[in-house]
Amino acid sequence: MDLVAALNQQPLLLNTFLLLLGLTVGSFLNVVIYRIPAMIEREEHAYCSALLEGGEQPELEPFNLATPGSRCPHCGHAIKPWENIPVLSYLLLRGRCSNCQAGISIRYPIIEASCGALTVLLSLQFGGLSAALVAALLFTWALLALTMIDIDTMLLPDAITLPLLWLGLLVNLFGLFAPLSDAVIGAMAGYGVLWSVFWLFKIFTGKEGMGYGDFKLLAALGAWLGWQALPMIILLSSFVGAVLGIVVMLLQKRGKDVPIPFGPYLAIAGWIALVWGDDIMAWYWANFTTATVS
């Protein structure tokens, strides 16, 4: 406790440390974003091949978040530690592989920088180091990974959504963001609301408007923030989805029938609700309820 108090009395030192931590976590999230979908696809391919061929599922070479080490996708060059420093290495290498000079996607440093900036922003919002800040950081990092994975693959993997849900219930066992009873109801209602929308949409249109991963993500958000936050999250996600959806269609010239993942909009809305939800509700009650009464 003394160490925490000492760090909170040195905000510049604390936020510098958190910035470096956020950049490092962002570098790891780049691995998570790429490898978890690849791991799922690899396992499903092996299972389906064994099923079709009538044999046993072959033993695959290790491929996980730690093994094998990072390599250039073009030439196979093993990434050295000094070539893997968040943001800085990209700038020093001028966005190119040191071996084959193939271009490195600018998305990698953007995710690292975004993770670092969000980490510091949360520190400022929560007033320094605390249990709530640590929980909020885990929440934010998970949502960032889910957002990018869904954008890439239209997939919200159980490997992230389900631990996020259980972690939300765990942190609210201590009432960090909502009473435990509200968190449990929030998890149930979050899943149930989108499950109901999914089936109503499918019955009336014959199409699937979203995936089961969206149900699990909203359940996780309900577990973190309580059932009272769900209406705000749904409204915010619809607003964010409308704005960003129009922007994406204009920039990429995509038709209105091309599917767009809903997970990123839920994630953004959930994060906004965590950080500014109380302020949004206070603003709403101060302005709209007064106008209604008048």
Side-chain angles (χ1 to χ4, degrees):
M1 295 296 293
D2 292 338
L3 178 59
V4 172
L7 286 172
N8 285 334
Q9 291 174 2
Q10 300 291 331
L12 179 59
L13 177 63
L14 174 63
N15 289 324
T16 299
F17 167 75
L18 289 174
L19 175 62
L20 295 176
L21 174 64
L23 291 171
T24 304
V25 171
S27 181
F28 174 69
L29 291 184
N30 278 322
V31 177
V32 171
I33 291 163
Y34 170 75
R35 292 200 180 188
I36 284 187
M39 289 160 57
I40 294 172
E41 182 180 1
R42 193 165 177 260
E43 291 174 1
E44 289 181 347
H45 178 74
Y47 174 78
C48 292
S49 296
L51 193 64
L52 290 172
E53 295 171 4
E56 295 185 0
Q57 186 170 338
E59 185 175 347
L60 302 175
E61 294 183 5
F63 184 82
N64 50 50
L65 298 180
T67 304
S70 298
R71 295 180 178 276
C72 172
H74 300 281
C75 68
H77 167 68
I79 306 299
K80 302 293 190 294
W82 55 86
E83 297 174 337
N84 206 26
I85 302 171
V87 180
L88 182 60
S89 289
Y90 183 89
L91 297 175
L92 293 176
L93 293 170
R94 297 181 180 178
R96 296 188 175 278
C97 171
S98 62
N99 185 62
C100 68
Q101 298 303 305
I104 302 171
S105 173
I106 195 171
R107 197 177 82 167
Y108 294 115
I110 289 177
I111 291 174
E112 292 165 352
S114 298
C115 190
L118 291 173
T119 299
V120 174
L121 190 153
L122 285 172
S123 173
L124 297 174
Q125 183 70 19
F126 282 85
L129 194 59
S130 64
L133 174 62
V134 173
L137 289 176
L138 295 174
F139 179 80
T140 300
W141 297 338
L143 291 184
L144 181 56
L146 287 169
T147 295
M148 299 310 302
I149 290 173
D150 204 18
I151 289 173
D152 287 345
T153 65
M154 301 283 289
L155 174 71
L156 291 170
D158 289 350
I160 301 177
T161 55
L162 295 184
L164 184 65
L165 189 158
W166 291 114
L167 184 59
L169 295 177
L170 178 62
V171 300
N172 284 324
L173 186 63
F174 306 97
L176 284 183
F177 301 108
L180 181 59
S181 58
D182 291 350
V184 172
I185 296 172
M188 296 168 61
Y191 191 95
V193 165
L194 289 190
W195 181 88
S196 301
V197 171
F198 169 88
W199 281 107
L200 287 172
F201 185 81
K202 187 172 184 179
I203 290 170
F204 285 106
T205 68
K207 300 178 181 179
E208 295 185 358
M210 63 184 69
Y212 278 65
D214 297 316
F215 314 165
K216 298 168 190 175
L217 177 54
L218 188 57
L221 297 178
W224 276 83
L225 304 175
W227 63 268
Q228 297 90 339
L230 292 178
M232 180 194 304
I233 292 171
I234 293 171
L235 288 173
L236 282 173
S237 64
S238 300
F239 175 76
V240 171
V243 173
L244 294 184
I246 292 171
V247 171
V248 168
M249 285 192 292
L250 291 176
L251 292 178
Q252 299 184 359
K253 297 181 180 179
R254 301 171 65 173
K256 63 180 182 179
D257 294 328
V258 177
I260 297 175
F262 188 52
Y265 309 141
L266 283 175
I268 293 170
W271 190 83
I272 291 172
L274 174 77
V275 179
W276 294 296
D278 291 341
D279 295 334
I280 292 173
M281 290 306 299
W283 173 81
Y284 172 82
W285 287 111
N287 290 275
F288 288 91
T289 56
T290 302
T292 302
V293 172
S294 300

